[in-house]
């Protein structure tokens, strides 16, 4: 049974920035990115242990999962007491340790 998910205050800004960046080249691809990101959130709510554990970021239980169809974009999340907490959505080439502080 899927759990519910909550997005941190960063997720909206992350998705908006990625959408604007991709839209510079192709608005349809930018829309598909948003759909894929939310589809991935739903998948993770149904399969919260699917992602890769990320102990290098020193946040207990932090995991990552690639946005389906957009393999360079990573969803960082962890399972809370009663819901999946989506923390960030970032491009894999970013300075991830600095972004995850």
């Amino acid at each position: 049974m899927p759990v519910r998910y909550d997005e941190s205050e960063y997720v909206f800004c992350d998705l908006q920035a990625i959408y604007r960046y991709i839209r510079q080249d192709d608005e349809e691809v930018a829309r598909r990115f948003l759909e894929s990101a939310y589809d991935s959130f739903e998948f993770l709510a149904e399969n919260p242990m699917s992602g890769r554990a990320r102990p290098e970021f020193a946040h207990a239980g932090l995991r990552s999962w690639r946005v389906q169809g957009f393999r360079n974009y990573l969803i960082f999340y962890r399972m809370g007491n009663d819901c999946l907490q989506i923390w960030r959505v970032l491009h894999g080439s970013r300075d991830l340790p600095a972004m995850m502080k």
Side-chain angles (χ1 to χ4, degrees), residues 1 3 7 10 34 49 52 54 73 76 83 92 94-95:
M1 182 168 118
V3 297
E7 302 170 30
Y10 297 107
L34 289 178
M49 298 309 289
R52 176 180 157 211
R54 301 303 294 253
Y73 291 95
F76 290 91
C83 72
R94 304 277 309 261
D95 181 0

Side-chain angles (χ1 to χ4, degrees), residues 17-36:
I18 295 165
Y19 174 84
R20 283 194 309 258
Y21 178 77
I22 295 172
R23 187 182 66 188
Q24 292 173 11
D25 292 325
D26 192 324
E27 188 169 352
E28 179 56 32
V29 172
R31 269 184 274 195
R32 278 198 333 257
F33 168 78
L34 289 178
E35 289 175 17
S36 291

Side-chain angles (χ1 to χ4, degrees), residues 9 11 13 17-18 37 41 47 56 60 66 68 73:
E9 65 272 12
V11 172
C13 294
I18 295 165
F41 296 169
N47 306 280
E56 69 270 27
R66 295 180 188 276
Q68 182 179 356
Y73 291 95

Side-chain angles (χ1 to χ4, degrees), residues 56-73:
E56 69 270 27
F57 295 118
H59 294 286
L62 189 67
R63 303 182 81 78
S64 69
W65 183 257
R66 295 180 188 276
V67 175
Q68 182 179 356
F70 296 85
R71 298 196 50 79
N72 291 329
Y73 291 95

